[in-house]
Amino acid sequence: MTLKMPPCGPGATGELGLFKGIGPCVVNEDGNSTKTLEYSWIDYANVVVVDQPAGVGFSHITNRSHIPVSLEEGGRDIHKFLRAFTNDVFPEHSGRPLHIAGESMGGHYVTGYTHHIMRSEREMGDSGKSRAAYEPLNIESAIIVDGYVDNTRQTVGYYDFFCSDWRRDGRKAPLMNSTACDFMEAAVPHCEILGQHCRETYDKEVCLAAALSCDETVGAPYAADVRPGGWNPYDSRLKCQKPPLCSDFDKDATFEFFNQPWVQDMLGFPNTSFELIDFDTNGRWTEAKNVFLPVTKELTWLLDNTDIRILFINGNNDIIM
């Protein structure tokens, strides 16, 4: 069974990925019907797509001030969900291999949540409560696509992407001119020092300062050209329509489809103001500053202390993670 985290974020819904790539169907341009995809993850696995943190998409939270804004809070929710899902709701899936997948912010979600779940499962097992209460979760692998793992490493990667990896990526020349590339290259060493300090301390203020400094130096030439007709963060082959998303994928036919009254009635969520990307949740994570923390320690722990296989996939034309 595969558990799919939302793409983008924080604040993106599971429906964004489900109906734009991995699911059994996509929404037609009329925003009122769907068509079957030739290839889908469900051809090979039982797939569960989750709207999280609680309050995103069709998930509901009574008080939005209680929206989880950290991996620890979100990890507790996902752990409880998986325990209930595999033991109480669908006990036939109890103990079966579980694969946790995500993209973009999923680099944080998948890594942080898997780390939380595995540590919690071990603590419960050590206390003798695990098998007496429920079948332990059997996480076999993690799949991270264009994963956001470390803010400063992503920014340093701008130099690699635009200036140094062009031959390896099959391009005929760098994507930026020599002036911009020289400016970025000169700023990389200081950014790497700040990033290392962030990874060592896991201090939110330190990591925020590192992120801002790297963005204002290494990331400046790229950020300045994220404008109409400029760089599209999600595909370097396309032009930006309107920042920050540079496309209409948050308000397109899929958005229209899930706001159709008949669709919401069939799903059991009538009269819902559905958003593919919840910018309120995004803002809460940013305000809490947890989004600037890396997940390198959690990733290292998983690699060193578990048998979970971890697959990273990055697209050659995807600028941001």
Side-chain angles (χ1 to χ4, degrees):
M1 183 177 74
T2 299
L3 176 70
K4 175 65 170 64
M5 298 292 174
C8 309
T13 67
E15 287 77 12
L16 190 60
L18 179 62
F19 280 80
K20 291 180 180 290
I22 72 166
C25 57
V26 294
V27 177
N28 291 318
E29 292 184 4
D30 62 9
N32 198 41
S33 60
T34 62
K35 62 182 177 182
T36 302
L37 279 177
E38 183 177 358
Y39 303 104
S40 170
W41 283 23
I42 68 167
D43 296 335
Y44 303 97
N46 297 306
V47 180
V48 179
V49 180
V50 180
D51 276 344
Q52 69 83 40
V56 167
F58 285 116
S59 66
H60 178 72
I61 189 167
T62 303
N63 187 340
R64 289 190 65 84
S65 65
H66 295 160
I67 289 175
V69 293
S70 72
L71 295 177
E72 184 68 21
E73 294 172 353
R76 286 197 297 266
D77 287 348
I78 291 295
H79 190 197
K80 291 177 182 177
F81 164 75
L82 285 174
R83 287 171 58 189
F85 186 88
T86 58
N87 283 268
D88 302 329
V89 182
F90 294 102
E92 64 271 24
H93 292 299
S94 179
R96 296 183 63 179
L98 178 63
H99 311 275
I100 301 182
E103 62 181 296
S104 191
M105 187 63 187
H108 263 56
Y109 292 149
V110 172
T111 306
Y113 293 173
T114 304
H115 172 261
H116 173 86
I117 291 170
M118 292 303 297
R119 290 183 67 96
S120 298
E121 292 279 305
R122 290 189 178 186
E123 290 172 2
M124 296 176 70
D126 292 341
S127 68
K129 297 179 180 179
S130 182
R131 290 193 177 276
Y134 76 105
E135 184 74 18
L137 297 174
N138 179 21
I139 301 177
E140 191 170 277
S141 72
I143 305 164
I144 299 172
V145 182
D146 284 341
Y148 172 64
V149 172
D150 181 336
N151 187 290
T152 58
R153 288 305 307 164
Q154 172 174 290
T155 308
V156 167
Y158 291 157
Y159 170 73
D160 299 330
F161 182 87
F162 289 109
C163 302
S164 68
D165 287 350
W166 55 277
R167 288 190 181 89
R168 188 176 66 182
D169 291 341
R171 299 187 177 96
K172 296 181 179 180
L175 294 174
M176 285 192 176
N177 60 44
S178 59
T179 300
C181 287
D182 290 346
F183 176 84
M184 296 169 74
E185 183 179 18
V188 164
H190 183 61
C191 178
E192 289 184 324
I193 292 172
L194 296 176
Q196 182 63 31
H197 190 37
C198 166
R199 289 186 290 275
E200 290 172 350
T201 63
Y202 261 53
D203 182 283
K204 289 192 286 187
E205 297 299 336
V206 169
C207 292
L208 171 60
L212 292 176
S213 178
C214 291
D215 284 344
E216 292 168 357
T217 53
V218 182
Y222 155 68
D225 207 30
V226 179
R227 54 176 177 77
W231 291 115
N232 184 318
Y234 303 100
D235 192 333
S236 63
R237 298 166 298 182
L238 304 177
K239 297 297 184 182
C240 177
Q241 297 177 22
K242 181 181 178 181
L245 298 178
C246 288
S247 71
D248 64 349
F249 70 76
D250 64 323
K251 299 291 185 183
D252 63 1
T254 305
F255 166 80
E256 294 179 14
F257 181 77
F258 282 109
N259 278 289
Q260 296 283 3
W262 70 269
V263 174
Q264 294 190 355
D265 286 342
M266 292 188 69
L267 292 174
F269 298 101
N271 304 314
T272 298
S273 179
F274 178 84
E275 297 285 349
L276 283 169
I277 300 178
D278 186 334
F279 285 101
D280 174 64
T281 296
N282 186 284
R284 291 175 187 272
W285 272 73
T286 302
E287 184 178 359
K289 302 176 184 177
N290 291 312
V291 72
F292 299 104
L293 294 174
V295 288
T296 46
K297 289 183 180 180
E298 292 84 349
L299 180 59
T300 300
W301 187 90
L302 290 172
L303 291 170
D304 289 345
N305 296 281
T306 75
D307 293 325
I308 295 174
R309 295 173 297 159
I310 302 177
L311 173 66
F312 280 89
I313 303 172
N314 290 324
N316 283 348
N317 297 295
D318 303 332
I319 300 176
I320 68 170
M321 298 292 104

